[in-house]
Amino acid sequence: MIVDEEQKKEEKSKKLFADLCECYLLLNGTFSSELFSICIFCLLKVALKKEENEETQKGVEMALLALSKIIAWNEMGQELFLNAIKEIMKYHQKHHNLTRLAYQSAWQFLINRLSYEKSLEGVIVNELHFVREARKELEELAKSVDWKRKAEENERRGKERKEEFVLLRLLQTCGSYFLYCNLWNEEFAGLIDDIVQALKVSKDNYRETFKECIYSLKAAADNRAVKIDFLVKGGAVDAILEEIQQQTMDDKLTLECTRFFESISSRLKE
């Protein structure tokens, strides 16, 4: 159906074409090289739209969400995506036209490429300023969540629940950044501090957010570019040590905390 719709080149079929590409990326685990390129070109074209009406904004959000599902092992040439995704991000940084979910999805799509495209490190760190943008988003999202209210109570509060979902995805993106990016920037320390703060406020009522903070800090501990002092002196070690002493931890979280301390120990020995 995607191939058929692409060949029509008709204005009326563009919405169906984009919908099919989104479904293909969101639902499929593997991609054919032909359809892969077709879908990326289609959805980046949708994501480049700058009209501020609700329908366009929703279309942009869905296109970027679908693109963010292309995980790290999908190798692609930079000519497929780089200029377009840079334009999308820089325009948003100037005009704030994207939803938070759309902006976070754009970052996830780009950072997923780092496992194959190491040359993107300079673009992400020095040109698009991921750490600066992530810190700003974390701060704003943290303000929108009532940390004293139990997470299940938020099922009735749609907007706050959505903000929590975007916060979770942003923490996942930070974890991917720490995992793949080895270009040190002094702003790293501030981002680690922000994640530690999110870990502390989420531990009682927002366990999914708390767990994602642990995973991100573990990725930072494994990254040789991250200076160990920022993890030891920044409070990450104390916060996770306090948690690992609790009797109610699940096995997966216990394992992740233990691995965090193994990484810290190994780095300190060096």
Side-chain angles (χ1 to χ4, degrees), residues 64-76:
L64 288 169
L65 181 63
L67 288 167
S68 74
K69 295 297 183 179
I70 305 173
I71 59 177
W73 46 260
N74 293 118
E75 187 174 4
M76 65 178 81

Side-chain angles (χ1 to χ4, degrees), residues 77-90:
Q78 291 188 18
E79 69 278 358
L80 268 180
F81 66 88
L82 187 55
N83 289 337
I85 205 72
K86 282 167 58 176
E87 181 180 341
I88 290 165
M89 288 180 166
K90 287 182 177 181

